[in-house]
């Protein structure tokens, strides 16, 4: 099972423009990462907080709805967040300009 | 009509030539003695050490259910890939240029603080201003602008908490009363409830603002050896003694004394730890080759020179620069002090801390500020309308900026290490200068009030560096917000 996880991570990481991939559990602790320690810790903490807030916004507006993706576009990167009940996948991509 | 006449010749001996006296004298020096000495340095050793690059420990999650993780990833992966492809093909942001600067606009006036019943009386100026270390409370003292000989007025210190919900411009959150006008205020560097002040009668007062009834916790009035003339400045300086928790309070007065007070952390009692006195003989040093005779006459008179301002260097807490009556600037040290001459009358032993003198201002020195970021640099201004930038190792100033209209005070900007504020011109504005170019920065200039009055004091907020408090000669304090300043280097 671990190899499957690795394979999927590698598939995402090798996609065009992807800078890094991080998988975080529901408590905000990183499980798997392709980036260095300091950046991973920062992203894990900050993104999980933001993703929880975004999800609560969507569900408050319509309880039958749920958050599927959260994308944050900044000058340098685009951060894509895919949340789940137990995990959060964070992909950092360089927009091809 | 014309006839020839001849007169007798008149002669007189010349008197300018006198006989020179000659005498023979002989001197003999003592025989100089020679001796030879040889020394040899011992064998040297070379040792190297290497630190490890410490990486923060990454605490990865334990007890991960890899099955669930694999399921999640395999489910989400195609969707993510689709999104990533969509992103790279997206034309949504074509031609999108984000705005480069966050233009925070110009200088904004936030608050105008004024205590109505006090300022309606004439001639009350803001003599001193201090922000608390948290940046929420501004304390300023209103005092009379003219004192003929002694101060009979009772002084006031007003405290405004600008972060509170019920903040009002005209009602201070607290008012402290003193027995004479307050000349200088200084808030404790990390205890927000402690405030120190120096008054016109020579008292050094400490208040604890958390106390409800009587905030005054100690006063130097009855301590032997305290100031007997007006206190010109009080400042908190970090304590070099590692056993003491609190910084020491240094006060300087017009009686020529710089006193170092120890304040008890819990009891708040004030104790005189060290005393220094600045003597008149030091003002004779004006530079190599030039010596000005003492105005009072006689070299041996040990008269004290009134201290108008002082500043401790940020890097070396034992060195400080002092400005004295008459425009002199003296470099002093707390550790290299000699005992003062016996003729200086005092109840406690005083020391003479002066090491060297800088080239003096032509008028009185009104403000000295040592740089917090640049080693050994300080700026000073005086009644001769000059701002001088000095280096502590050089007697002559590095640069002199002439300000039309006079300058009364200077303060280093907390927002940027190369900027300092200057105030006191007739136009009533506060200008910010760049240390290296010596030019005014127009975007940071704080304009004058509706009716231009002289500014008496400017202080930056230590917590929010964009806020600046400005006090004027009419008893008003205005809090300005400045835009951030970026160099174009």
């Amino acid at each position: 099972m671990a190899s499957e996880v690795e394979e999927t991570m590698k598939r995402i990481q090798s996609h065009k423009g992807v800078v890094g991939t991080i998988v975080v559990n529901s408590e905000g602790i990183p499980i798997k990462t392709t980036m260095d320690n300091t950046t991973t810790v920062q992203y894990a903490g900050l993104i999980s907080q933001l993703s929880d807030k975004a999800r609560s916004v969507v569900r408050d507006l319509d309880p039958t709805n749920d958050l599927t993706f959260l994308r944050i576009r900044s000058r340098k990167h685009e951060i894509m967040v895919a949340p789940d009940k137990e995990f959060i996948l964070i992909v950092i991509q360089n927009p091809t300009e | 009509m014309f006839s020839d006449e001849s007169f007798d010749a008149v002669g007189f001996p010349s008197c300018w030539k006198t006989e020179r006296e000659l005498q023979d004298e002989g001197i003999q020096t003592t025989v100089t003695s020679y001796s030879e000495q040889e020394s040899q340095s011992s064998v040297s050793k070379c040792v190297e050490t290497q630190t490890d690059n410490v990486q923060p420990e990454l605490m990865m999650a334990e007890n991960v259910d890899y099955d669930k993780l694999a399921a999640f990833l395999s489910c989400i992966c195609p969707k993510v890939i689709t999104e990533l492809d969509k992103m790279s093909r997206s034309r949504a942001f074509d031609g999108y240029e984000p705005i480069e600067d966050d233009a925070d606009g110009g200088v904004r006036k936030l608050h105008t603080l004024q205590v109505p019943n006090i300022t309606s009386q004439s001639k009350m100026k803001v003599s001193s201003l201090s922000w608390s270390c948290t940046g929420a409370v501004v304390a300023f003292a209103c005092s009379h602008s003219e004192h003929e000989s002694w101060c009979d007025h009772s002084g006031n210190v007003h405290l405004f908490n600008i972060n509170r919900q019920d903040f009002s411009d005209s009602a201070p959150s607290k008012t402290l009363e003193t027995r004479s006008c307050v000349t200088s205020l200084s808030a404790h560097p990390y205890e927000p409830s402690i405030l120190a002040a120096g008054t016109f009668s020579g008292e050094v007062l400490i208040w604890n603002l958390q106390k409800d009834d009587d905030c005054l916790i100690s006063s130097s009035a009855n301590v032997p050896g305290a100031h007997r003339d007006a206190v010109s400045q009080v400042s908190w300086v970090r304590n070099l003694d590692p056993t003491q928790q609190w910084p020491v309070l240094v006060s300087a007065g017009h009686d020529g004394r710089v006193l170092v007070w120890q304040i008890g952390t819990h009891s708040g009692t004030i104790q005189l730890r060290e005393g220094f006195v600045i003597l008149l003989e030091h003002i004779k040093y004006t530079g190599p080759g030039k010596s000005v005779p003492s105005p009072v006459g006689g070299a041996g008179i040990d008269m004290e020179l009134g201290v108008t301002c002082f500043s401790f260097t940020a890097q070396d807490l034992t060195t400080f620069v002092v400005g004295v009556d008459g425009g002199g600037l003296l470099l002093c040290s707390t550790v290299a002090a000699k005992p003062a001459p016996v003729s200086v009358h005092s109840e406690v032993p005083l020391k003479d801390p002066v090491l060297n003198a800088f080239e003096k201002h032509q008028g009185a020195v009104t403000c000295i500020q040592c740089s917090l970021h640049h080693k050994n640099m300080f700026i000073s201004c005086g009644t001769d309308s000059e701002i001088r930038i000095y280096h502590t190792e050089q007697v002559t100033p590095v640069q002199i900026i002439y300000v039309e209209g006079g300058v009364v005070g200077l303060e280093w900007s907390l927002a940027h290490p190369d900027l300092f504020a200057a105030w006191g011109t007739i136009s009533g504005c506060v200008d910010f200068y760049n240390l290296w170019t010596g030019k005014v920065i127009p975007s940071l200039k704080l304009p004058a009030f509706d009716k231009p009055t002289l500014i008496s004091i400017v202080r930056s907020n230590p917590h929010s560096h964009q806020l600046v408090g400005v006090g004027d000669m009419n008893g008003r304090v205005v809090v300005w917000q400045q835009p951030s300043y970026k160099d174009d280097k």
Side-chain angles (χ1 to χ4, degrees):
Chain A
M1 279 305 145
S3 59
E4 206 181 302
V5 168
E6 291 293 341
E7 209 188 285
T8 326
M9 293 275 292
K10 220 191 283 189
R11 203 142 55 100
I12 303 178
Q13 178 67 30
S14 54
H15 202 268
K16 186 171 162 200
V18 172
V19 172
T21 318
I22 306 170
V23 180
V24 174
N25 74 356
S26 51
E27 290 163 19
I29 305 174
I31 301 174
K32 285 235 163 281
T33 175
T34 61
M35 304 182 81
D36 62 278
N37 289 358
T38 334
T39 324
T40 306
V41 166
Q42 271 189 303
Y43 269 99
L46 296 168
I47 298 288
S48 48
Q49 284 176 39
L50 186 61
S51 152
D52 285 342
K53 185 70 185 177
R55 174 191 258 136
S56 68
V57 167
V58 171
R59 291 187 67 89
D60 283 349
L61 289 171
D62 181 358
T64 60
N65 206 351
D66 199 1
L67 180 68
T68 49
F69 281 114
L70 174 63
R71 278 159 68 162
I72 304 162
R73 192 186 178 96
S74 70
R75 260 190 269 179
K76 297 184 185 167
H77 315 293
E78 173 148 337
I79 306 170
M80 180 173 319
V81 183
D84 180 59
K85 264 200 286 286
E86 286 153 28
F87 307 102
I88 303 178
L89 173 69
I90 305 166
V91 180
I92 300 127
Q93 190 189 22
N94 233 333
T96 46
E97 223 85 83
Chain B
M1 202 168 31
F2 291 112
S3 58
D4 283 329
E5 273 293 334
S6 68
F7 297 100
D8 291 329
V10 181
F12 45 86
S14 66
C15 56
W16 62 272
K17 249 197 192 159
T18 49
E19 272 277 324
R20 276 234 196 127
E21 279 190 12
L22 289 173
Q23 218 178 21
D24 271 334
E25 233 4 276
I27 47 172
Q28 172 73 45
T29 54
T30 52
V31 178
T32 47
S33 60
Y34 296 94
S35 66
E36 273 186 31
Q37 271 280 345
E38 276 182 24
S39 63
Q40 173 70 44
S41 61
S42 47
V43 175
S44 63
K45 264 194 189 173
C46 193
V47 178
E48 282 180 26
T49 58
Q50 172 75 44
T51 54
D52 277 330
N53 189 12
V54 178
Q55 277 274 344
E57 285 276 330
L58 183 61
M59 295 206 330
M60 297 292 246
E62 296 148 9
N63 312 327
V64 174
D65 190 343
Y66 278 97
D67 291 342
K68 282 206 182 147
L69 180 57
F72 160 67
L73 281 176
S74 54
C75 166
I76 209 146
C77 182
K79 296 184 195 155
V80 173
I81 302 280
T82 329
E83 286 294 326
L84 292 175
D85 286 334
K86 261 203 265 179
M87 224 306 298
S88 55
R89 284 194 310 254
S90 151
R91 294 177 59 85
F93 290 100
D94 279 356
Y96 166 65
E97 282 289 330
I99 309 170
E100 266 306 313
D101 294 319
D102 35 351
D104 19 16
V107 170
R108 275 198 307 155
K109 186 190 286 198
L110 289 182
H111 311 289
T112 305
L113 309 171
Q114 174 164 349
V115 184
N117 51 348
I118 302 287
T119 54
S120 59
Q121 302 164 22
S122 57
K123 299 186 188 172
M124 289 292 271
K125 67 165 186 180
V126 175
S127 59
S128 173
L129 202 154
S130 181
W131 291 90
S132 71
C133 57
T134 55
V137 179
V138 55
F140 63 93
C142 287
S143 66
H144 281 254
S145 17
E146 289 153 20
H147 287 108
E148 283 172 5
S149 57
W150 200 246
C151 179
D152 295 323
H153 323 113
S154 60
N156 290 301
V157 176
H158 303 290
L159 292 129
F160 282 83
N161 190 329
I162 56 173
N163 287 347
R164 272 232 195 113
Q165 300 281 10
D166 52 352
F167 158 68
S168 146
D169 288 29
S170 47
S173 54
K174 209 166 201 158
T175 300
L176 304 163
E177 301 262 336
T178 58
R179 284 195 290 223
S180 62
C181 289
V182 173
T183 51
S184 175
L185 280 176
S186 185
H188 197 282
Y190 46 86
E191 275 284 345
S193 52
I194 304 289
L195 183 65
T199 66
F200 205 88
S201 58
E203 272 184 277
V204 171
L205 306 164
I206 316 277
W207 288 289
N208 184 341
L209 301 168
Q210 281 176 339
K211 291 203 176 168
D212 290 322
D213 38 6
D214 184 20
C215 295
L216 187 67
I217 48 174
S218 52
S219 150
S220 73
N222 299 323
V223 176
H227 289 287
R228 285 164 305 158
D229 206 342
V231 173
S232 48
Q233 186 177 332
V234 289
S235 279
W236 292 94
V237 175
R238 211 175 80 214
N239 206 329
L240 290 167
D241 184 359
T243 61
Q244 295 288 338
Q245 292 174 313
W246 270 17
V248 289
L249 184 67
V250 181
S251 67
H254 287 288
D255 53 358
R257 282 159 173 66
V258 175
L259 301 176
V260 178
W261 304 91
Q262 186 71 51
I263 318 292
T265 317
H266 300 292
S267 54
T269 48
I270 194 166
Q271 248 188 333
L272 182 56
R273 210 174 81 164
E274 266 184 302
F276 302 99
V277 64
I278 313 289
L279 300 168
L280 184 58
E281 57 175 346
H282 295 295
I283 205 69
K284 287 198 290 191
Y285 294 59
T286 51
K290 268 199 288 182
S291 84
V292 174
S294 152
V296 191
I301 295 190
D302 298 314
M303 264 193 46
E304 299 122 20
L305 274 179
V307 176
T308 47
C309 46
F310 68 91
S311 180
F312 273 75
T313 55
Q315 291 83 16
D316 175 12
L317 293 166
T318 59
T319 316
F320 60 102
V321 184
V322 148
V324 292
D325 284 340
L329 289 155
L330 304 167
L331 181 70
C332 307
S333 163
T334 53
V335 288
K338 315 176 277 282
V342 188
S343 52
V344 174
H345 178 66
S346 162
E347 294 94 339
V348 293
L350 291 174
K351 290 185 256 192
D352 176 7
V354 179
L355 295 176
N356 196 6
F358 298 99
E359 192 180 291
K360 53 195 271 255
H361 275 266
Q362 294 304 316
V365 181
T366 44
C367 190
I368 297 180
Q369 289 274 338
C370 283
S371 169
L372 303 162
H373 302 276
H374 300 289
K375 203 163 179 273
N376 291 339
M377 287 196 84
F378 68 94
I379 43 174
S380 75
C381 68
T383 53
D384 53 351
S385 310
E386 280 176 9
I387 299 176
R388 291 180 173 205
I389 303 171
Y390 284 90
H391 195 278
T392 52
E393 287 166 11
Q394 190 179 316
V395 168
T396 49
V398 172
Q399 194 177 4
I400 303 182
I401 305 170
Y402 182 72
V403 181
E404 263 186 50
V407 56
V408 165
L410 298 171
E411 202 209 18
W412 288 101
S413 161
L414 293 172
H416 199 283
D418 291 339
L419 295 185
F420 60 91
W423 65 89
T425 56
I426 314 174
S427 57
C429 14
V430 179
D431 288 317
F432 281 79
Y433 289 82
N434 185 318
L435 174 69
W436 305 113
T437 60
K439 299 223 173 23
V440 182
I441 309 221
S443 58
L444 297 175
K445 179 171 156 141
L446 300 177
F449 298 154
D450 322 315
K451 292 174 282 196
T453 59
L454 289 172
I455 306 290
S456 50
I457 186 105
V458 170
R459 287 279 178 261
S460 298
N461 190 321
H463 188 75
S464 332
H465 296 319
Q466 319 281 39
L467 297 182
V468 180
V470 174
D472 70 356
M473 301 291 276
N474 282 345
R476 277 183 309 182
V477 168
V478 178
V479 179
W480 296 90
Q481 184 177 43
Q482 285 189 311
S484 46
Y485 169 69
K486 298 181 189 69
D487 299 330
D488 332 291
K489 272 203 191 146

